[in-house]
Amino acid sequence: MKILVVGGGGREHAIVRALSRSAHEPQLLCAPGNAGIGRDADCLQDTGAEDVAAIVAAAKQEDVDLVIVGPEAPLVAGLVDRLEEEGVAAFGPSAAAARLEGSKAFAKQLMAEAGVPTAAHTLLRDREEALQHLSCAPYPAVLKADGLAAGKGVIICGSEAEARAAVEVYFTEKRFGDTVVVLEEFLEGTELSLLALCDGENVVPLAPAQDYKRIFDGDIGPNTGGMGSYSPVPGTDRALIDEIADAVHRPVVSLLARRGQPFHGVLYAGLMLTEQGPRVLEFNTRFGDPETQAVLPRLRSDLVDLCLAARRPGGLAATRADFGGDWAVTVVLASAGYPESASKDDVIHGLEQASQLAEVTHAGTAERDGEIVTAGGRVLNVTGLGATAAEARDRAYDAARQIEFEGMQMRSDIAARAVERVAG
Ligand code: AMP
Ligand code: GLY
């Protein structure tokens, strides 16, 4: 069996590693991949993840049996539709179903219709409308660009003055393109990522994970694509997972099915666990990054079987995704300047030593003259596994400390709360 993974980040490296543990022993390709993925799969380096036509052509030329799409942009652009039209099996939602991630306004509309709990919101279509609403909004308030923004389109505003400044970012500077903006109620609580596999009808939850969005320790500084994660999450037992899947994932999947836009692939709910119960912050329509780096190493079911089943309408009926009782903690190593910018071409030292202690997956790396160098904002992910949260965390940090490159940024508090909660 031949499988092509689309993407070139830490998530895709973790997917490639999980596929390589499958009983199907698939031959693995990745487009475009990165320096680390190149050790575990054949990389089609010149085929960009967002180049729909090139991916379809490569999948046909290589005669692959399955394509697994990592990032959101090609999903929203209709890559899965194009592949399936051409007779290539693909794991991921159609463009119509991926709108759940591609448009926050659409997601809000769908949640309202499906009765899914989420923050109250108002749609701001232009600068004037925005300024009008801001004068009577309660603060803090949350502003979100409607379209894809690589996790960076959300601004949390502590005051009306901050919100007015944010409005200029969206509507005057147009940092996120020509977009409408969602003004949302600020929710307090603990965040949780619950990803689930969907086959158009059934919902199979994966293990829960916690993601760290801010750049600095103590959740300070700007939002990033994610600076670390861990799985499982203390306090999130089977009953709570089922409760969330029943309140959130299943109503959305049923509604999309009734609309003739069945959801196949990963439905990722970013949730706030509030005192009033779980509330949806956002939907993603793919594996999370860096949640996947902490979740997939714990998966005991065969990922190839799960992905093939999710493609078929109803294929996941009576299926469970089984996870080990172990813990995984992922620490992201980012380059100088991230998230505003990314530095390149700095030589990375200590990868061999780190790999002996933990799973090291690559994100923004490249190979130059036989050396591995930085090539992006998030550079590496170091995942420690252990029988306890403390053991997994110690392994992740012991391994991460072996790695060095110019300007390396890393949070030092990933999973610290989990260790405390389990111990307490
Ligand atoms: P999103 O991309 O919508 O998940 O937002 C990115 C991050 O902003 C989330 O992970 C939260 O930390 C924060 N956030 C988003 N919406 C809200 C909200 N309504 N209340 C509080 N924090 C939020
Ligand atoms: N971890 C957040 C994301 O994948 O969007």
Side-chain angles (χ1 to χ4, degrees), residues 18-52:
L19 294 172
S20 68
R21 293 191 287 271
S22 163
H24 294 273
E25 298 184 6
Q27 183 188 342
L28 297 172
L29 306 173
C30 190
N34 59 38
I37 295 175
R39 314 256 155 122
D40 298 312
D42 294 324
C43 291
L44 311 175
Q45 285 176 21
D46 300 326
T47 308
E50 297 183 22
D51 190 340
V52 171

Side-chain angles (χ1 to χ4, degrees), residues 335-344 374-378:
S335 71
Y338 184 72
E340 283 81 19
S341 61
S343 49
K344 277 173 60 171
T374 61
R378 289 188 291 171

Side-chain angles (χ1 to χ4, degrees), residues 11 72 101 150-151 193 195 210-213 224-229 268 282-284 286-292 378:
R11 163 184 51 212
E72 57 275 22
E101 173 163 4
S193 302
L195 286 65
Q210 174 97 55
D211 174 22
Y212 288 78
K213 292 240 163 61
T224 68
M227 290 299 290
S229 61
Y268 161 148
E282 66 164 344
F283 281 120
N284 295 321
R286 51 169 172 85
F287 283 108
D289 190 340
E291 288 94 332
T292 303
R378 289 188 291 171

Side-chain angles (χ1 to χ4, degrees), residues 289-315:
D289 190 340
E291 288 94 332
T292 303
Q293 292 87 310
V295 167
L296 287 187
R298 301 183 50 241
L299 179 68
R300 299 292 173 263
S301 307
D302 194 306
L303 183 59
V304 174
D305 287 336
L306 290 174
C307 291
L308 289 172
R311 253 197 82 241
R312 293 193 308 273

Side-chain angles (χ1 to χ4, degrees), residues 218-256:
D219 294 328
I220 291 170
N223 268 340
T224 68
M227 290 299 290
S229 61
Y230 64 83
S231 173
V233 178
T236 310
D237 57 8
R238 190 75 224 173
L240 180 57
I241 292 172
D242 285 339
E243 182 192 321
I244 295 171
D246 283 344
V248 172
H249 299 72
R250 291 191 174 101
V252 164
V253 167
S254 298
L255 178 56
L256 282 171

